[in-house]
Amino acid sequence: MQNSSTLATLAPPAAPAEIRECPVGFRSDVVIDVRDGVLRLLSPIGGYALNGVAPAVVEALRDIVASGTALADGVEKLSDTEAGQLYTIAERAPKLAEFGILLGGRLLVKLEATARDAHYEKAAVPLDVRVKLSKFVLLRSHAGALVLESPLARHRVTLVAPAAGAAITALGGGCTGADLLGELPEAAVSSLLGHLVGAGFVETEAVDGGVNGFPSDTDPVLRQWDFHDLVTHSRARTGRFDQPFGGIFPFLGEIEPQPALKPVPTGPSIVLDRPELEDILAVDPSLTTVLEARTSVRDYGETPLSVAQIGEFLYRTARVRAVYGPSEATPYEASTRPYPCGGAAYELELYLTVRRCDGIEPGCYYYDPVGHRLVLVNEDPSDRQAMLHAASVATAMQANADILITMTARHQRLSWKYRSMAYSVSLKHAGVLYQTMYLVATAMGLAPCGLGSGDADLAARVLGLDYLTESSVGDFILGSRAVPQEGATARRLPENWRPVNDPQWGVQSQSTLFRRFRGPA
Ligand SMILES: Cc1cc2nc3c(=O)[nH]c(=O)nc-3n(C[C@H](O)[C@H](O)[C@H](O)COP(=O)(O)O)c2cc1C
């Protein structure tokens, strides 16, 4: 933020319409350390060190940070020189301080940095230019106040005065600065818009350039970002956000972690066969054959999948191999399964909606990865059909799969450990499980296809889950595979492919697999 002014802050009381832009406080997460005469300030997004700071200034600083006292109140007991020193610290360490726009001595809004490289130039916004809140701005209650945040901005704005809220309401629909004059005097409108535009919360409309309109509506890159996708992106990784992040166990000692193994629902169950490793190794194709032959298949053989195939498939992809912990490094019970998982937390659960499978009645089942069995959770035909229909829709009605596998996440299993990134990590887990399923299905001669969309509300209702506790994050369809007759598979690439790097490896590998699945002539 620009234009902060120590002199203005220490100046006599402001006139009613006077605008001041200056430091008004310090972040509550600043850590203060004084050693060998050096004052060191540290926050998640920056630090600052200074020699020769008066003890009274350090004391006042500690008090301001601990109690959230406004800077103007915190300096009351200090001499003018000491107060000046504290304001200088705030100005020189802008990522540790809160800046305010004050109207007639009363705070209108506060701004604080949320990123290490937070910096902006205050914009000059003529009163007749149309302005609009960016479509990426979110408004929420945070730390006891109403704040604006945006994945396009490296600052947070706290709305303090009702007039600031009224201005934001008008900006939500788009207006000119002149339209805001009913709420605020001209100097306040210019200051507020200057900072909101400069920091990236408000857009100005282009009217005489090549492309007219607001950037969110006209910029090809911004147009293609969804609000929620960009918010998630900006918070699933570090860089633009100053809140606690990563595997920091925020609830350790407060809330019990979810168990490594979900309590198995009660219901009729089907115990599945456990395959023998030697039997699998005796017939498994090579890794390269499977990797290269893997493809998404959306049509199915005449013979349905069998319960033995489902047993082998689930055992090879998703069974629990062992459990371990808790330990000092991992203060929760963990498990090991065939696919990788962040923190070995294994929050994903599998549900099978069976349309057609030899040995399993149609219905919705939970896969118990310990007991290696399917437990019936819903036998209502219309619920089953709704689940299978949603899966078919995801394939543009190309597929009418034998089985839909719904992957759910027990969300608190991850969010007990990871702040800010837990949901995105679950999507990564769904991804690695997709590939594990693709490869095992290919090796077994089944028809696999991952899906990009699914109805989490429907799945929660049909599978009897609480949406906030466990809901679907992935969908995978599976069926028997129609193996082409000998000679029917021309060893050619699809006609519309333009070869780049050995695409025939895939064709050759598929031929190898088909020969194997047809067996000896
Ligand atoms: C995460 C993910 C989502 C997918 N979503 C769908 C989908 O919703 N519908 C569909 O028919 N195929 C879907 N697929 C399959 C892709 O269309 C397929 O992988 C892609 O066209 C490449 O073809 P290949 O798998 O045969 O190599 C998805 C695959 C993945 C990995």
Side-chain angles (χ1 to χ4, degrees):
M1 181 169 170
Q2 304 295 300
N3 289 359
S4 57
S5 158
T6 304
L7 288 179
T9 313
L10 297 175
E18 185 183 336
I19 282 294
R20 290 179 183 173
E21 299 171 338
C22 58
V24 292
F26 280 90
R27 295 174 62 98
S28 60
D29 55 5
V30 170
V31 175
I32 301 168
D33 178 39
V34 186
R35 256 180 295 158
D36 306 326
V38 181
L39 167 71
R40 288 186 183 81
L41 305 180
L42 258 184
S43 88
I45 56 163
Y48 179 71
L50 190 67
N51 268 318
V53 179
V57 172
V58 176
E59 252 348 275
L61 188 54
R62 283 192 202 283
D63 192 45
I64 288 169
V65 168
S67 63
T69 307
L71 197 45
D73 298 331
V75 297
E76 260 176 8
K77 287 191 210 135
L78 300 179
S79 68
D80 277 3
T81 314
E82 289 165 342
Q85 191 173 36
L86 197 46
Y87 273 100
T88 303
I89 292 171
E91 288 177 352
R92 291 202 186 149
K95 292 187 195 91
L96 307 178
E98 297 171 324
F99 285 78
I101 300 175
L102 295 97
L103 170 60
R106 300 176 81 100
L107 202 51
L108 197 57
V109 297
K110 282 195 298 188
L111 287 109
E112 65 181 328
T114 59
R116 286 188 172 270
D117 59 348
H119 173 79
Y120 67 85
E121 298 291 336
K122 182 180 168 188
V125 185
L127 285 180
D128 58 346
V129 165
R130 280 190 64 76
V131 278
K132 195 169 77 168
L133 207 60
S134 156
K135 74 170 183 179
F136 297 104
V137 167
L138 65 93
L139 178 72
R140 67 171 180 139
S141 170
H142 169 74
L146 190 62
V147 300
L148 300 180
E149 294 170 329
S150 166
L152 295 184
R154 292 181 175 84
H155 289 79
R156 178 182 298 110
V157 179
T158 302
L159 304 177
V160 181
I168 295 301
T169 306
L171 286 165
C175 61
T176 63
D179 294 332
L180 300 177
L181 292 177
E183 303 293 344
L184 293 165
E186 186 172 335
V189 170
S190 294
S191 170
L192 188 62
L193 287 182
H195 288 286
L196 292 178
V197 170
F201 290 91
V202 167
E203 298 178 351
T204 54
E205 186 180 39
V207 285
D208 52 4
V211 182
N212 295 337
F214 292 103
S216 295
D217 303 328
T218 56
D219 181 280
V221 172
L222 292 180
R223 282 178 62 196
Q224 293 178 76
W225 268 108
D226 266 334
F227 160 79
H228 57 276
D229 277 344
L230 196 50
V231 171
T232 304
H233 178 57
S234 69
R235 304 209 172 173
R237 307 183 70 78
T238 54
R240 290 210 166 180
F241 194 51
D242 59 348
Q243 297 300 293
F245 182 91
I248 57 173
F249 300 103
F251 302 105
L252 183 67
E254 278 181 47
I255 301 175
E256 280 300 301
Q258 286 296 306
L261 309 172
K262 174 186 158 97
V264 180
T266 50
S269 68
I270 301 165
V271 177
L272 300 168
D273 283 348
R274 289 175 157 83
E276 295 294 334
L277 179 62
E278 292 70 27
D279 294 344
I280 293 172
L281 291 177
V283 297
D284 239 9
S286 75
L287 172 65
T288 299
T289 301
V290 173
L291 263 179
E292 292 296 329
R294 184 214 59 77
T295 187
S296 298
V297 184
R298 301 176 188 81
D299 46 32
Y300 307 99
E302 277 175 22
T303 314
L305 279 177
S306 70
V307 63
Q309 285 173 315
I310 285 300
E312 178 180 334
F313 175 81
L314 291 172
Y315 204 76
R316 293 176 67 177
T317 53
R319 77 185 187 283
V320 172
R321 294 194 283 218
V323 290
Y324 59 94
S327 67
E328 208 166 297
T330 312
Y332 54 91
E333 195 177 32
S335 65
T336 151
R337 309 185 194 201
Y339 61 95
C341 170
Y346 289 102
E347 82 288 7
L348 296 184
E349 302 289 341
L350 300 183
Y351 294 81
L352 273 63
T353 300
V354 176
R355 183 180 72 86
R356 186 183 77 142
C357 181
D358 196 6
I360 306 177
E361 284 299 311
C364 301
Y365 297 84
Y366 169 71
Y367 173 57
D368 167 9
V370 173
H372 191 52
R373 62 195 171 120
L374 295 175
V375 181
L376 185 66
V377 292
N378 188 332
E379 54 187 337
D380 183 286
S382 58
D383 283 347
R384 180 177 75 241
Q385 276 149 19
M387 294 286 283
L388 291 166
H389 179 72
S392 290
V393 168
T395 67
M397 303 314 284
Q398 276 186 61
N400 188 18
D402 289 350
I403 287 179
L404 162 68
I405 301 174
T406 304
M407 300 175 189
T408 63
R410 287 188 293 136
H411 300 291
Q412 287 70 41
R413 177 91 183 132
L414 277 195
S415 56
W416 185 81
K417 173 175 180 181
Y418 297 107
R419 274 274 82 160
S420 200
M421 57 187 272
Y423 186 74
S424 73
V425 169
S426 273
L427 300 186
K428 288 171 183 166
H429 291 161
V432 296
L433 185 50
Y434 274 37
Q435 176 69 343
T436 306
M437 289 185 168
Y438 261 118
L439 295 182
V440 172
T442 304
M444 290 178 62
L446 308 180
C449 185
L451 300 182
S453 60
D455 184 335
D457 234 14
L458 173 71
R461 184 182 63 72
V462 170
L463 304 175
L465 307 172
D466 171 45
Y467 185 88
L468 296 179
T469 308
E470 180 182 345
S471 47
S472 64
V473 293
D475 308 83
F476 196 92
I477 50 176
L478 194 65
S480 64
R481 187 151 185 192
V483 178
Q485 296 296 309
E486 180 73 60
T489 40
R491 298 178 68 170
R492 277 187 287 118
L493 301 176
E495 275 173 13
N496 60 347
W497 282 19
R498 291 183 291 282
V500 178
N501 280 309
D502 292 320
Q504 75 280 5
W505 286 14
V507 180
Q508 283 170 14
S509 298
Q510 282 195 13
S511 298
T512 304
L513 283 188
F514 286 145
R515 268 199 307 279
R516 178 187 293 247
F517 295 131
R518 272 195 298 268

